[in-house]
Amino acid sequence: MFRRFLLLFVSIVIISACSSSEETATIATDNFDRSALLVNIADNIIIPAYEDFSNKMSALKTAGEIFTTTPNQTNLNTLRASWFVAYKTWQQIEVFNIGKAEEIQFSFYMNIYPLTVKDVEDNIANGSYDLNSVNNQDAQGFPALDYLLYGVADTDATILEKYTSAANKENYKKYITAVLNQMNTLTASVTKDFKAQRNTFVNNTSNTLTGSVNELINDYIFYFEKRVRAGKFGIPAGIFSSNPLPEKVEGFYKNDISKELSLQALTAVKNLFEGKYYATATTGVSFKAYLIKLNRADIATSISSQFEAAEAEINKLNNSFSIQINLDNTAMTKSYDELQKAVVLLKVDMLQTFNVSVDYVDADGD
């Protein structure tokens, strides 16, 4: 009898263990239409944004070709303007670190800052480099162009000399071309892949760790927390260091665009939460609608309000965050604080309501 009792006990333990394992693999579901959410995000936000960015990158590449063929002030101005337009549009798509973008580390090749100037200058001096190498991620993309168009010398006249009369002028022009070719190739690959995988993305509606909604929400919050809150504000303001680091702001060499870029990024975050179609006022199924469906309109309203509060604080800042930090860093930390309040609402309140687990590890002590 004791052996039968022991067998029964072991069986119960095994069944219990299996059940626990299954529960950790599959998360509880609700009756929200996740497919409608994914269709709206894919068809009305991600794909149009990718297509717009692809067009802006093509225009930037063309402007680069014209400048490297005929480097003069007019063509420099045109290239600079095209770079800034594309850079602002980049802020609208960096949040979508999914599919091919995640696989190839798209954002690491497009917008790692601060730039390692020594790597750029060494590449130019050598005339030979591999921009596909992870060792060159901090020597290309938008930050490299920021340096090449604004930071290689102190005045426009001396900048132009780098491309017209300097001993290694051909290598400087070659590097601009190589950076632009790399950016366009990666953009085309990411855009093509997402379009090809669109159906897989919208049909993966399971509430599991690998479901499209779960992965997208985690990537969304990670981007807002680490790339916007920390990258654009916290790190240069010295939140994670003993002193402010103004040289680590985005757009350091042009030096009057860091606020605009951060506002563009915040707009992308807000619009995705609201389900707003790309570049229009129309809205569709969204994270906000999901919260409301689950009877948490209070959280939805709080998130929208906090985004507005953060935007209002950012609008008080100097166009140049490096200047702002040097003049009054407290204003930068206030913007960071408002963004942090939104992080808590998204990462704690919203995720708990959706019954979605965080799939990344914190490393900045927040």
Side-chain angles (χ1 to χ4, degrees):
M1 181 171 180
F2 173 78
R3 293 178 61 183
R4 266 189 272 175
F5 173 80
L6 180 60
L7 181 61
L8 177 61
F9 174 79
V10 171
S11 299
I12 291 172
V13 170
I14 293 173
I15 292 170
S16 177
C18 292
S19 298
S20 297
S21 175
E22 289 170 357
E23 286 170 5
T24 58
T26 304
I27 303 170
T29 60
D30 53 57
N31 61 358
F32 182 77
D33 189 350
R34 287 180 160 224
S35 179
L37 170 66
L38 293 170
V39 166
N40 182 48
I41 291 174
D43 294 349
N44 300 316
I45 303 176
I46 297 179
I47 291 175
Y50 274 158
E51 290 176 340
D52 186 34
F53 182 65
S54 294
N55 291 336
K56 299 291 173 50
M57 280 306 309
S58 294
L60 176 56
K61 183 174 182 289
T62 298
E65 291 168 349
I66 293 172
F67 173 74
T68 54
T69 300
T70 310
N72 57 36
Q73 187 66 55
T74 298
N75 292 337
L76 176 61
N77 291 343
T78 300
L79 178 55
R80 285 170 165 175
S82 185
W83 166 80
F84 186 38
V85 168
Y87 208 173
K88 288 189 289 185
T89 307
W90 164 257
Q91 308 297 324
Q92 301 292 323
I93 71 161
E94 188 175 4
V95 62
F96 306 120
N97 188 39
I98 52 179
K100 182 67 71 173
E102 180 180 25
E103 176 188 330
I104 66 173
Q105 297 184 318
F106 189 33
S107 64
F108 286 10
Y109 288 97
M110 298 291 283
N111 196 35
I112 286 293
Y113 58 93
L115 181 78
T116 302
V117 172
K118 184 181 185 303
D119 287 352
V120 173
E121 289 292 354
D122 286 349
N123 287 342
I124 291 170
N126 295 333
S128 178
Y129 35 82
D130 178 12
L131 294 185
N132 291 317
S133 168
V134 295
N135 294 325
N136 272 320
Q137 287 178 339
D138 58 352
Q140 59 185 293
F142 287 106
L145 294 173
D146 182 28
Y147 171 72
L148 292 167
L149 301 181
Y150 291 97
V152 289
D154 294 333
T155 67
D156 283 5
T158 52
I159 287 172
L160 283 169
E161 287 176 4
K162 292 285 187 178
Y163 304 99
T164 57
S165 58
N168 56 350
K169 63 183 180 182
E170 295 304 321
N171 280 3
Y172 271 97
K173 291 187 286 187
K174 176 185 173 184
Y175 202 70
I176 287 180
T177 299
V179 169
L180 288 173
N181 286 342
Q182 170 83 334
M183 295 172 76
N184 269 271
T185 297
L186 294 178
T187 299
S189 175
V190 168
T191 302
K192 179 181 179 181
D193 180 78
F194 186 81
K195 288 181 176 180
Q197 298 299 321
R198 180 265 182 198
N199 289 346
T200 300
F201 174 76
V202 301
N203 290 326
N204 185 8
T205 59
S206 63
N207 190 359
T208 61
L209 297 177
T210 57
S212 292
V213 172
N214 300 52
E215 289 188 342
L216 181 65
I217 290 175
N218 267 285
D219 290 339
Y220 169 73
I221 297 174
F222 179 89
Y223 170 73
F224 181 63
E225 181 182 5
K226 306 301 183 182
R227 301 285 185 255
V228 180
R229 182 212 58 151
K232 298 180 191 297
F233 294 87
I235 292 173
I239 297 295
F240 312 109
S241 56
S242 55
N243 295 297
L245 303 167
E247 72 278 8
K248 294 185 181 292
V249 302
E250 194 173 21
F252 176 73
Y253 296 98
K254 189 175 189 309
N255 202 33
D256 64 355
I257 62 170
S258 40
K259 180 170 84 171
E260 176 62 21
L261 295 177
S262 72
L263 287 170
Q264 289 288 330
L266 180 57
T267 295
V269 170
K270 287 166 48 183
N271 288 349
L272 183 54
F273 177 71
E274 303 277 349
K276 188 176 180 182
Y277 290 19
Y278 181 74
T280 77
T282 306
T283 58
V285 185
S286 63
F287 297 150
K288 185 174 185 176
Y290 196 169
L291 286 168
I292 293 171
K293 174 70 174 180
L294 298 179
N295 297 316
R296 293 312 307 262
D298 56 328
I299 297 176
T301 300
S302 294
I303 292 172
S304 293
S305 297
Q306 192 55 47
F307 284 151
E308 296 303 321
E311 182 177 11
E313 203 65 44
I314 294 168
N315 272 315
K316 298 176 185 177
L317 301 176
N318 191 287
N319 289 335
S320 165
F321 282 176
S322 62
I323 291 175
Q324 180 66 63
I325 291 167
N326 287 322
L327 290 177
D328 179 15
N329 192 42
T330 301
M332 279 288 287
T333 61
K334 286 181 178 178
S335 293
Y336 171 89
D337 290 343
E338 294 303 321
L339 292 166
Q340 173 60 17
K341 292 175 185 176
V343 168
V344 174
L345 288 167
L346 293 169
K347 193 174 179 180
V348 179
D349 296 25
M350 185 173 80
L351 284 188
Q352 286 180 353
T353 302
F354 292 163
N355 200 19
V356 171
S357 300
V358 176
D359 68 1
Y360 60 91
V361 178
D362 285 320
D364 59 16
D366 62 347

